[in-house]
Amino acid sequence: MKILVTGGCGFIGSHTVCELLDNDYEVVIIDNLSNSKIEVIDKIKRITNKEVYFYEGNVQDKDLLQRIFKENTIDGVIHFAGLKAVGESVKVPLMYYCNNIDSTLTLLEVMSECNCKNIVFSSSATVYGVQDTPKYVETMDRGKSSSPYGETKAIIEKILEDLYTSDPTFKITILRYFNPVGAHKSGLIGENPNGIPNNLMPYILKVAVHELPELTIFGNDYDTPDGTCIRDYIHVVDLAKGHIKALEHAHNHEPNIYTYNLGSGHGVSVGEMVTAFEKANNLKLNYKYGARREGDLPEYYADPSKALRELGWKTEESLEDMCKDSYHFITMEKGE
């Protein structure tokens, strides 16, 4: 099978491409390299010893997408491409709505034209909004998302549901991620965004290798045991493997729309993550507490039991693995 991976040079996309290649899928990547690097293609080849087809461009470019489908027999799509920073989305919401939704609509139009009816969508736990319990299960209604980023994911989920209603020959899998961290065991690929990171682990890493002077922990007055936000962290390799399970499930089942949480099922606070990182890598981080960040929720974590039951998927990597693999990657990046 040949799979088109949008945003395949990004953090989650690149790890998923490696898992696809290791499982004997052919892979075509489209990426505009706005928050990723072309060198990732060579690193994927080094890890897997396999070739990957690459097109540089935006998923909003319908002509390019039509050319990709014309030049390749695409059996399914994993759709990662999109802007993803919660804080940034609050500041520039129109950019997020335009990019994330328009690109998805264009992709789905071309898929329909080319009779490619299998898509795995990279969604987010933020679609749940604020619930009465921090443990999120797929049967919950989508709530009012705490950021425009989350709203784009919720809107796209609704678009996919409406698409399936109109065309029940589609196989649609929605994967709601919690908080991906870690890096490939090789140290060749991981998360190293440009500028000041929006997510915790890459921020920690830049402080650990002295690219930034200190880590700012946004809020220490939440109603949690240590006052810092609690999240469900998942190793990116575990997450990538979830996409393989989703493709296998879709292949073996009739067309339908499926939704799964991909998370560990338990929460770790920001303070606990900092401590775990220091212990795993035998170092000390400079950090300070700052004001709460707009759009952040105090606590949430996954109920991943449906993914285990239907996909046979569960997390395998530990918090220590996440911390060690992340640090290994960033030191490799810097040549230390």
Side-chain angles (χ1 to χ4, degrees), residues 113-317:
E113 290 172 5
C114 299
N115 199 36
C116 177
K117 301 291 186 73
N118 184 7
I119 183 168
V120 177
F121 173 57
S122 165
S123 191
S124 167
T126 59
V127 302
Y128 290 110
V130 180
Q131 300 285 345
D132 292 334
T133 172
K135 190 173 186 177
Y136 291 172
V137 62
E138 294 91 344
T139 52
M140 290 176 172
D141 291 336
R142 284 187 294 263
K144 170 61 179 173
S145 299
S146 60
S147 68
Y149 160 76
E151 281 295 303
T152 67
K153 294 295 188 182
I155 291 168
I156 292 168
E157 285 195 9
K158 182 64 167 64
I159 289 169
L160 289 168
E161 291 166 1
D162 290 344
L163 173 62
Y164 177 74
T165 299
S166 70
D167 184 355
T169 64
F170 261 90
K171 294 183 176 183
I172 298 170
T173 308
I174 295 168
L175 300 180
R176 292 174 177 166
Y177 308 160
F178 281 70
N179 290 74
V181 297
H184 195 271
K185 299 294 182 184
S186 66
L188 290 174
I189 56 174
E191 187 173 23
N192 187 17
N194 301 321
I196 297 177
N198 289 280
N199 296 328
L200 177 61
M201 184 58 81
Y203 204 147
I204 286 175
L205 294 177
K206 286 185 181 290
V207 174
V209 296
H210 310 294
E211 285 187 25
L212 292 174
E214 63 184 358
L215 167 70
T216 299
I217 297 175
F218 298 107
N220 64 340
D221 58 348
Y222 288 98
D223 186 18
T224 61
D226 65 6
T228 64
C229 289
I230 292 175
R231 296 289 182 265
D232 184 337
Y233 295 98
I234 174 176
H235 197 293
V236 65
V237 173
D238 279 334
L239 183 60
K241 290 177 179 177
H243 295 75
I244 309 303
K245 293 289 190 180
L247 285 174
E248 292 172 352
H249 180 267
H251 180 71
N252 293 321
H253 288 78
E254 293 299 311
N256 208 329
I257 184 162
Y258 306 95
T259 302
Y260 300 100
N261 286 337
L262 295 187
S264 70
H266 59 85
V268 175
S269 75
V270 174
E272 289 172 330
M273 177 61 85
V274 169
T275 300
F277 186 89
E278 291 178 328
K279 182 179 179 181
N281 298 299
N282 193 28
L283 52 76
K284 284 292 182 182
L285 294 168
N286 292 324
Y287 63 88
K288 67 178 181 180
Y289 294 105
R292 294 185 182 191
R293 186 171 58 178
E294 194 172 4
D296 277 345
L297 300 178
E299 178 180 9
Y300 61 84
Y301 52 92
D303 178 345
S305 58
K306 184 181 178 185
L308 175 60
R309 184 173 64 252
E310 296 188 9
L311 302 181
W313 175 90
K314 64 178 180 178
T315 59
E316 298 175 350
E317 304 288 339

Side-chain angles (χ1 to χ4, degrees), residues 303-336:
D303 178 345
S305 58
K306 184 181 178 185
L308 175 60
R309 184 173 64 252
E310 296 188 9
L311 302 181
W313 175 90
K314 64 178 180 178
T315 59
E316 298 175 350
E317 304 288 339
S318 68
L319 183 60
E320 181 181 11
D321 293 326
M322 299 176 205
C323 294
K324 284 186 174 180
D325 293 342
S326 297
Y327 189 56
H328 180 214
F329 162 71
I330 201 68
T331 53
M332 290 271 289
E333 279 275 283
K334 290 182 66 66
E336 295 182 358

